[in-house]
Amino acid sequence: MKFNAFIGFTAGLLFISCTSNFDENNRNKDIFDEAKTLSQVSYTGTNYDFDGGISALRSYIMSTSPENVPVNTINPPALTAYSTTIEGIVTVPSSADFLLDNNDTCNEIYKLYNRSFILQDQNSAILVLYGREPALFTGSPTSMEYVSNANRANMAVLGNRLRITVTQVIRHGIDPGNQIPLVVDFSNPTIISKTNSVFFTNQSSTFTRGTDLYMNRRIEGIVNVTPSYSECASGSGRDFQLQHEVAYIGRICVGGTGAMTTWVNSSNACVNGSTEFKFRLSKNLAQGTLSTFNVGTDFSYTLAKGAMVRMTGPVFIPNRGGADSDLMILLDQKSQVENLQ
């Protein structure tokens, strides 16, 4: 799979530079540094052979009290201190943005983690929030929120086996049916091995939180709704950069009968026995594939309506309080998508 995205990434970064508070040149370097490793990444149907303690951690988090800040207040959610060591294969590298707040939509007070990643072992997976913006100027020097650590480039690379010491967690959400476990801070990141094959299972039924959340899944189908950008209302305190957890969401029809081209009708509905799934692109991937500055021939695939593709990625919840129907595949790297045409 070719990686000829320089023009698209550059143009997209120029577009957002007017409103960014991030060091986009450094982030652009991160993207291309990681791109050099993608030829070494492979996917496998053979599960990992180790228990890295992720399932036990998730059980502990979901046994704690949920965040104790009332919804729609101006305070960020409260966290729980907890120390344990977990280990897993990186299935989304440290380049995915996630906002932590106590509002289902657009709160004025939030914590942005701009290099979050997902770890998976043989039993379970977890979203690790990392790279807080702005990084804290005081605190423990081992905290990954601390200014000298919070923006460490390419710390969690796709396919690496990574061990971390968890230091803060949260049971995020108010409604018990819609709460999710999150690691919010950690220390001592240690790479155990590199370029491991990334395990996936094929998916044909709709996602459920108890079975699929954060787990690496593969779907094949035809895109029926081109990903579109969504952001907070004007004046909410967030602009283009600060709503990636609900942005660039598309839809795809999977598992129908007959030719894949017949799985979507003229009204964009999934037909002929196919099931509709959602997928979400990270900011980095979206700028290289959907930007109006550069689409089509410069890229090895498209995710526009009508594209027939194979997607492999973790199941993600895009916003606080989301229902199972909001679960979707998270795509962050070009290696996670392959055209079937």
Side-chain angles (χ1 to χ4, degrees), residues 141-299:
T142 60
S143 165
M144 297 310 285
E145 287 190 333
Y146 192 62
V147 68
S148 61
N149 296 325
N151 287 325
R152 186 181 302 179
N154 300 314
M155 189 199 68
V157 173
L158 188 67
N160 279 7
R161 181 169 170 174
L162 185 68
R163 179 185 298 149
I164 62 174
T165 299
V166 174
T167 56
Q168 282 189 320
V169 298
I170 189 171
R171 181 177 173 181
H172 191 38
I174 299 295
D175 181 356
N178 291 342
Q179 291 164 1
I180 59 173
L182 297 169
V183 172
V184 183
D185 200 8
F186 60 97
S187 62
N188 304 320
T190 303
I191 297 172
I192 305 304
S193 59
K194 297 182 179 181
T195 64
N196 296 281
S197 294
V198 178
F199 169 63
F200 70 91
T201 54
N202 291 300
Q203 187 83 13
S204 57
S205 58
T206 55
F207 294 134
T208 60
R209 188 179 310 254
T211 302
D212 301 305
L213 180 65
Y214 306 141
M215 299 297 285
N216 213 44
R217 305 301 193 211
R218 173 172 286 183
I219 57 177
E220 296 184 5
I222 182 168
V223 176
N224 62 315
V225 177
T226 302
S228 58
Y229 181 72
S230 172
E231 65 177 332
C232 295
S234 176
S236 68
R238 297 183 190 168
D239 51 22
F240 184 86
Q241 295 82 3
L242 302 181
Q243 191 67 352
H244 300 303
E245 80 281 15
V246 298
Y248 294 117
I249 295 174
R251 298 171 186 263
I252 183 172
C253 300
V254 174
T257 58
M260 193 177 288
T261 53
T262 68
W263 295 357
V264 56
N265 65 17
S266 58
S267 300
N268 299 337
C270 295
V271 294
N272 286 347
S274 63
T275 300
E276 185 178 76
F277 289 82
K278 297 177 183 178
F279 62 93
R280 198 218 82 171
L281 279 65
S282 70
K283 174 187 63 176
N284 301 327
L285 187 58
Q287 287 171 357
T289 58
L290 296 175
S291 169
T292 55
F293 298 100
N294 193 351
V295 294
T297 57
D298 281 347
F299 298 98

Side-chain angles (χ1 to χ4, degrees), residues 285-333:
L285 187 58
Q287 287 171 357
T289 58
L290 296 175
S291 169
T292 55
F293 298 100
N294 193 351
V295 294
T297 57
D298 281 347
F299 298 98
S300 58
Y301 65 87
T302 176
L303 289 170
K305 179 185 175 182
M308 292 180 283
V309 296
R310 174 182 296 123
M311 300 177 177
T312 308
V315 177
F316 179 78
I317 193 75
N319 61 321
R320 176 186 179 280
D324 281 8
S325 58
D326 295 314
L327 292 167
M328 59 189 66
I329 290 281
L330 173 61
L331 303 174
D332 185 73
Q333 296 291 318

Side-chain angles (χ1 to χ4, degrees), residues 88-115:
I89 304 295
V90 177
T91 59
V92 162
S94 51
S95 55
D97 296 351
F98 194 88
L99 277 167
L100 185 64
D101 64 20
N102 65 317
N103 192 306
D104 291 337
T105 52
C106 297
N107 199 4
E108 293 290 339
I109 305 298
Y110 53 83
K111 296 178 180 178
L112 172 68
Y113 297 85
N114 68 20
R115 296 188 180 185

